[in-house]
Amino acid sequence: MISKRIINRSRANFSIIWLPLITIVLFAGCTENGQPLEVNDETISNEEQVTDWLAYGRTHSEKRFGPQDDINVNNVQDLKVDWYMDLPGDVGLVSTPLVVDGIMYFTGTMNIVRAVNAVTGEFIWSFDPEVGKSIRGKKQAGFVHNRGLSFYKGKVFGATWDGRLFALDANSGEKLWMVQTFDPERALYITGAPKAFKDKVLIGNGGTENGPSRGFVTAYHADTGEEAWKFYIVPGNPAEGFESEAMKMAAETWKGEWWKHGGGGNAWHGFTYDPDFDVLYIGTGNGSPWNQKIRSPGGGDNLFLCSIVALDPDTGEYKWHYQTTPGESWDFNSTMDIVLADLVIEGEEIKAILHAPKNGFFYVINRANGQLISAEPFVETSWATSIDLETGRPVETENIRYENGPVYITPGANGAHVWQAMSYNPTTGLTYIPALHEGFVYTDAGIDLEEWRSVEFVGGTGVWLYPPEKQPRDYMASLIAWDPVHQKEVWSVPQETFWNGGTLTTAGNLVFQGRSDGMLLAYNAESGEVVWEYNAGLGISAPPITYKINGRQYISVLVGWGGIYAGVGGQDAYDMGWAYGVHSRRLITFSLEGEADMPPLPEPYFPQPLAVHEFEVDQNLVAKGANQYYTRACNRCHGSGGISGGMAPDLRASAICIDKEAFTKIVKEGSRVDRGMPHYKDINEEEISGLMHFIRNCANAGLASD
Ligand code: CA
């Protein structure tokens, strides 16, 4: 069947027009024996079922492995669009849809949740948490994008940029409960998917770089939204007493007055529940600030930064941890996927964790005891030569904490692997990693290490980064097939494009990945040979999923260039041609039988700076404006140097930016808060003028370079 839906943001419209479709939900929402499927820990742990995609990484193991082989290496050439949905009001789409009992649930821009028929693409319901209303009048840090949802016992769980966690009735989309998970006056945000397990739902937050942040995760009762437990990731001020023995232990690895800087560790992505051992793993973030000389002068491991921490899922009590990056100083989060796999290593069956964090090493950890089994670099790692298997610690190279001046470090702060999902195929025994090859020069020259303070909503890292003269490779990204047993690369595909999407692998001997240039590709999972490709007409940042209904296997992906690089990337992101408002976002679903006739999207588009000769640029105001532009994080969506990668309008091309009245309405009075543009009530007239002069200066630079 073919379906095309134009979606706008008006929820009121939907509830009237689409109410009759709820009957379809009830019809579709049944298993083969007519009973609704109960999604609980047992069903989420079932690796064999082929119909659904029940959790962020498909099952509790987070493998992103589809056991279906209807679509396989021999027939994938026939894969065609089955149905699609246009989402023209959305911006960056990075989420993993869920499929439960014939219904697909996914999260879009500004945390809007939608449910559609997974066979036809017909719209069923949407829920708008009204993020614009919530952030109005407040200082804000955050993003319009979100990575996904959780499903448990008839409820859909989502979380918002401004820190709310909510439960919806999966049938109707009605809100059942909603709680605020952090003080909304703090410079924190949520872009991640909540994790539901054992009648609870867990959420963390991001914001390590936005102020003096102390990371924590909180579990809530899935039924009521009542708080069940909270786990702090780094210790607070000892004078106030430690919350747990774990914090007391962690405090011994910190020096100075670390609590004044928050410490960091914010867990914003990787959460895995392990039913084999009844343990919850959280992946923790980097330090606040990055520079350890400020954060913990005199060193120390700084637990539990950049670690996998195993917790009791019922109480949140600490069980064990493995720290990938002691004394973190480079933004080397360990918040990336935590994948559960059963491996045979030297004849021994091991229940393992697979983890490929930003620092560039691939870790295999024994889930029975938290012991490191092996670790090898999957990209160039200039900060450490190897990991000592006796101690589990990295063998560090010289001057990596920039003690003796500037130092080139690879991977850099963007990491070797970020939130774009890796997948593990138990048939090939390979992990498929969307990897980045990039380094930076780090230095803290000129920074007063004793006086440096991170200010809430201004933030900072306590270190300067510069691009190096030469990057580690002449390409910036690759798809790597990694053998975790022998810790070696089996094949890899160099990629010219940076910031590609996550991966899906299937029993059809396939790996699927979308690229930032808009290509969706299928590879032979054993050899890396390209066996199918499709031009989606817009950069893909989200990972594909698969499911099977009425004997037909589907591959589905959100097409919607997004994430932080699409925002801050500047010229390189601009050069992709995915300008703001030009290319409608889409949800595309493929099958071998697909017959949908889909109109193409516009060609890549490059907004041209306006030439405004009568606007005389004042360099004093430009300097003031540049300061405003970066400290108020305008660059996160409008791009470095005022060059937009497509997450927000290119200000150099905007007539509003030369009209002070119109500009003030947006920046100070918040006339576009509903579209995700924060407002800054405290900004003064000179600062507004400064921003306008800075933008004109960027425009003139762009015009001069043409
Ligand atoms: Ca970070």
Side-chain angles (χ1 to χ4, degrees):
M1 283 184 75
I2 303 162
S3 159
K4 180 188 174 188
R5 298 273 167 241
I6 302 286
I7 295 296
N8 63 36
R9 292 264 185 73
S10 164
R11 195 179 166 217
N13 284 351
F14 288 144
S15 53
I16 297 159
I17 299 169
W18 297 108
L19 204 59
L21 284 173
I22 286 170
T23 49
I24 294 173
V25 186
L26 298 176
F27 176 75
C30 296
T31 53
E32 272 170 25
N33 61 14
Q35 294 300 308
L37 175 78
E38 178 170 284
V39 178
N40 54 32
D41 292 294
E42 198 182 329
T43 35
I44 302 174
S45 304
N46 182 354
E47 301 286 344
E48 266 81 53
Q49 67 84 11
V50 296
T51 52
D52 301 312
W53 187 285
L54 295 178
Y56 186 69
R58 200 183 100 95
T59 63
H60 270 327
S61 74
E62 306 289 331
K63 285 188 185 78
R64 291 178 179 265
F65 169 72
Q68 308 88 340
D69 61 2
D70 309 73
I71 300 167
N72 57 57
V73 77
N74 297 318
N75 63 17
V76 69
Q77 299 75 19
D78 295 328
L79 200 59
K80 295 178 287 292
V81 177
D82 194 293
W83 59 264
Y84 71 99
M85 172 185 255
D86 269 344
L87 303 158
D90 281 51
V91 190
L93 294 180
V94 300
S95 79
T96 300
L98 305 180
V99 175
V100 183
D101 257 355
I103 315 277
M104 183 181 294
Y105 305 88
F106 66 97
T107 168
T109 301
M110 299 290 270
N111 305 113
I112 291 177
V113 183
R114 298 187 182 95
V116 300
N117 184 309
V119 172
T120 65
E122 271 183 297
F123 175 83
I124 298 168
W125 57 253
S126 81
F127 172 75
D128 181 355
E130 299 184 313
V131 170
K133 212 179 249 179
S134 174
I135 63 175
R136 186 172 290 278
K138 299 191 187 85
K139 282 191 171 183
Q140 274 307 325
F143 301 96
V144 298
H145 61 258
N146 179 273
R147 287 184 299 277
L149 302 164
S150 212
F151 196 107
Y152 200 84
K153 296 187 180 174
K155 295 187 184 71
V156 176
F157 303 93
T160 63
W161 135 1
D162 51 289
R164 289 169 293 155
L165 175 72
F166 57 82
L168 307 178
D169 181 313
N171 282 327
S172 65
E174 240 172 281
K175 182 181 79 183
L176 300 172
W177 55 257
M178 183 180 271
V179 293
Q180 184 71 41
T181 68
F182 57 73
D183 178 352
E185 302 300 326
R186 295 289 320 281
L188 301 172
Y189 58 84
I190 297 174
T191 50
K195 175 70 193 170
F197 60 94
K198 293 191 83 179
D199 295 302
K200 292 178 193 67
V201 55
L202 183 89
I203 192 72
N205 51 66
T208 319
E209 287 81 14
N210 292 339
S213 172
R214 182 187 179 200
F216 61 89
V217 292
T218 316
Y220 296 85
H221 291 287
D223 255 352
T224 61
E226 199 189 326
E227 184 174 320
W229 52 259
K230 188 185 286 286
F231 179 80
Y232 283 99
I233 292 161
V234 296
N237 185 348
E240 291 168 16
F242 296 114
E243 291 86 357
S244 62
E245 282 300 307
M247 285 299 102
K248 200 170 159 188
M249 172 180 108
E252 286 166 20
T253 67
W254 290 76
K255 302 222 162 90
E257 296 178 314
W258 70 83
W259 56 92
K260 292 188 171 165
H261 298 287
N266 300 60
W268 49 262
H269 182 67
F271 306 133
T272 298
Y273 173 66
D274 181 347
D276 291 335
F277 294 93
D278 191 26
V279 172
L280 182 74
Y281 308 111
I282 62 166
T284 69
N286 56 278
S288 174
W290 300 358
N291 191 336
Q292 193 189 26
K293 283 173 265 176
I294 297 170
R295 187 181 71 233
S296 176
D301 286 354
N302 299 169
L303 296 174
F304 296 101
L305 296 183
C306 307
S307 302
I308 290 177
V309 184
L311 301 175
D312 182 316
D314 299 319
T315 63
E317 245 172 287
Y318 166 90
K319 288 173 106 78
W320 56 259
H321 77 277
Y322 175 75
Q323 188 176 44
T324 59
T325 315
E328 197 285 310
S329 302
W330 316 273
D331 193 19
F332 280 173
N333 309 297
S334 242
T335 51
M336 289 71 225
D337 328 56
I338 300 167
V339 178
L340 311 183
D342 296 340
L343 306 180
V344 178
I345 300 175
E346 291 172 358
E348 195 188 339
E349 280 183 36
I350 304 270
K351 289 197 174 294
I353 281 173
L354 313 181
H355 186 53
K358 266 188 176 178
N359 77 14
F361 284 88
F362 191 101
Y363 296 85
V364 178
I365 296 164
N366 191 335
R367 289 189 266 147
N369 52 24
Q371 295 296 303
L372 178 70
I373 292 171
S374 61
E376 290 293 335
F378 62 95
V379 296
E380 307 71 20
T381 55
S382 74
W383 70 282
T385 53
S386 58
I387 308 296
D388 182 331
L389 295 183
E390 289 289 305
T391 62
R393 301 177 68 87
V395 179
E396 297 181 349
T397 55
E398 292 287 303
N399 189 33
I400 56 169
R401 290 180 186 81
Y402 27 96
E403 308 87 315
N404 309 314
V407 60
Y408 167 72
I409 299 282
T410 184
N414 284 324
H417 169 223
V418 204
W419 50 261
Q420 284 87 344
M422 68 179 192
S423 56
Y424 173 72
N425 186 323
T427 314
T428 63
L430 301 178
T431 312
Y432 303 97
I433 311 166
L436 302 176
H437 305 275
E438 188 189 35
F440 281 107
V441 175
Y442 288 67
T443 178
D444 57 14
I447 295 175
D448 184 337
L449 301 177
E450 276 169 28
E451 292 301 314
W452 191 92
R453 286 285 179 277
S454 179
V455 177
E456 192 101 33
F457 290 102
V458 175
T461 58
V463 54
W464 302 111
L465 263 61
Y466 299 99
E469 273 175 31
K470 200 176 177 322
Q471 287 293 355
R473 297 189 189 181
D474 55 12
Y475 50 91
M476 295 292 280
S478 63
L479 172 61
I480 297 175
W482 188 264
D483 174 349
V485 172
H486 302 99
Q487 284 282 18
K488 64 175 188 10
E489 181 182 299
V490 173
W491 56 261
S492 71
V493 179
Q495 293 167 327
E496 298 295 327
T497 55
F498 197 68
W499 203 249
N500 302 305
T503 66
L504 160 73
T505 183
T506 71
N509 194 24
L510 293 168
V511 180
F512 290 89
Q513 184 192 24
R515 285 195 318 224
S516 55
D517 62 357
M519 297 303 294
L520 178 64
L521 296 104
Y523 299 89
N524 179 314
E526 282 173 316
S527 69
E529 184 198 345
V530 175
V531 287
W532 174 77
E533 57 183 16
Y534 176 83
N535 187 349
L538 173 66
I540 300 171
S541 306
I545 63 159
T546 188
Y547 58 98
K548 183 175 170 177
I549 298 174
N550 300 330
R552 184 178 292 195
Q553 185 187 351
Y554 299 90
I555 305 288
S556 197
V557 69
L558 281 157
V559 177
W561 173 239
I564 191 165
Y565 175 75
V568 300
Q571 187 70 47
D572 290 343
Y574 170 93
D575 286 343
M576 303 303 304
W578 313 130
Y580 181 77
V582 176
H583 307 86
S584 172
R585 273 49 183 163
R586 278 175 169 166
L587 169 60
I588 306 184
T589 298
F590 301 85
S591 74
L592 295 174
E593 299 85 357
E595 291 179 353
D597 191 9
M598 198 166 67
L601 290 172
E603 292 290 303
Y605 178 77
F606 305 92
Q608 295 306 304
L610 292 179
V612 188
H613 302 296
E614 61 274 22
F615 194 116
E616 266 184 52
V617 173
D618 174 338
Q619 287 303 327
N620 276 328
L621 283 170
V622 170
K624 288 196 169 93
N627 185 41
Q628 290 296 311
Y629 190 80
Y630 291 102
T631 57
R632 293 189 188 265
C634 308
N635 62 319
R636 285 199 188 168
C637 301
H638 292 285
S640 298
I643 306 169
S644 171
M647 289 303 98
D650 194 303
L651 301 176
R652 303 170 305 160
S654 168
I656 291 169
C657 301
I658 48 173
D659 177 341
K660 195 162 188 182
E661 199 182 326
F663 189 71
T664 304
K665 265 211 168 70
I666 294 172
V667 175
K668 192 179 173 84
E669 293 162 30
S671 63
R672 298 212 176 151
V673 170
D674 290 343
R675 288 201 231 165
M677 168 65 204
H679 63 133
Y680 300 97
K681 284 191 303 183
D682 62 324
I683 196 165
N684 65 36
E685 210 186 316
E686 191 186 45
E687 290 166 342
I688 287 180
S689 293
L691 276 173
M692 293 175 70
H693 281 256
F694 170 74
I695 291 162
R696 283 323 302 162
N697 200 51
C698 295
N700 291 343
L703 288 164
S705 70
D706 282 346

